[in-house]
């Protein structure tokens, strides 16, 4: 049997109802909880774009590391014997992958940009393109499944897209 409440609930005062004061309670949050959080400043579109580019660069770095782990797994699980060319390909592929990851993380940490000049007139993106070509070509010479090596192209494709977004403005004539 359900018992009724012996004391009736106190009548709500007209000025203290949640409907009268929308800041008092909003989706279960109290006003004190709202005051405890500092208000985040509104980001400009340029700051949002920079944040997104940094996120993509971090993602590219981690995807490259993940791809290298899959390639290493293929190498370890392979039942084929590797000759000198196979082992040389493994070493060169991993050196290129380490350089790519270092470049992606340097850009994500604002230590460099994709347009940073490294060797003469060549910028970081152009050198990463050379590294990706070397990594893929030598990775294809490793006698394992080639899926992991070809997966290196996805993070590079993200950086290609970002490199195209950040074109220098042509001077007005």
């Amino acid at each position: 049997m359900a018992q009724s409440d012996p004391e009736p609930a106190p009548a709500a005062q007209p000025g203290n109802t949640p409907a009268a004061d929308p800041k008092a309670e909003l989706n279960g949050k109290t006003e004190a909880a709202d005051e405890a959080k500092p208000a985040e400043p509104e980001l400009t579109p340029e700051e949002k774009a920079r944040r997104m580019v940094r996120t993509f660069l971090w993602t590219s770095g981690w995807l490259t590391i993940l791809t290298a782990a899959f390639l290493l797994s293929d190498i370890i699980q392979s039942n084929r014997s590797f000759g000198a060319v196979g082992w040389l390909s493994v070493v060169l592929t991993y050196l290129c992958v380490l350089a790519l990851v270092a470049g992606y993380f340097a850009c994500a940490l604002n230590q460099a940009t994709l347009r940073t000049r490294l060797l003469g007139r060549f910028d970081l993106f152009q050198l990463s393109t050379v590294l990706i070509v070397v990594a893929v070509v030598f990775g294809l010479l490793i006698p394992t499944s080639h899926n992991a090596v070809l997966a290196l192209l996805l993070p590079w494709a993200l950086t290609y897209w970002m490199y195209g977004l950040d074109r220098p403005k042509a001077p007005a004539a």
Side-chain angles (χ1 to χ4, degrees):
M1 261 185 153
Q3 292 186 352
S4 64
D5 191 13
E7 294 181 28
Q13 296 177 1
N16 291 338
T17 62
D21 188 9
K23 291 183 180 178
E25 186 173 328
L26 179 65
N27 294 331
K29 295 181 182 177
T30 63
E31 186 176 335
D34 288 342
E35 290 175 4
K37 287 192 268 182
E40 291 186 22
E42 186 66 31
L43 297 175
T44 64
E46 192 173 290
E47 290 170 338
K48 287 179 183 179
R50 267 190 248 123
R51 180 185 284 181
M52 184 178 297
V53 167
R54 283 186 55 203
T55 302
F56 278 137
L57 287 166
W58 280 111
T59 303
S60 293
W62 287 112
L63 281 173
T64 304
I65 289 174
L66 189 62
T67 302
F70 287 138
L71 179 61
L72 182 64
S73 172
D74 281 348
I75 292 169
I76 291 171
Q77 293 176 0
S78 177
N79 57 1
R80 299 179 185 172
S81 62
F82 288 25
V85 173
W87 286 114
L88 179 65
S89 297
V90 169
V91 169
L92 286 175
T93 300
Y94 273 94
L95 287 175
C96 291
V97 164
L98 289 174
L100 285 167
V101 169
Y104 294 149
F105 286 165
C107 290
L109 292 170
N110 289 328
Q111 301 296 321
T113 65
L114 292 173
R115 294 197 182 273
T116 301
R117 301 281 180 206
L118 294 180
L119 292 174
R121 61 177 215 171
F122 299 107
D123 60 21
L124 180 64
F125 175 75
Q126 292 166 338
L127 292 175
S128 73
T129 303
V130 171
L131 288 173
I132 201 73
V133 167
V134 170
V136 169
V137 167
F138 281 101
L140 292 174
L141 294 175
I142 300 171
T144 60
S145 172
H146 302 302
N147 295 338
V149 173
L150 294 175
L152 286 172
L153 295 173
L154 174 65
W156 178 83
L158 283 173
T159 59
Y160 176 74
W161 175 67
M162 289 182 287
Y163 184 76
L165 288 177
D166 188 30
R167 290 187 189 157
K169 305 290 185 237

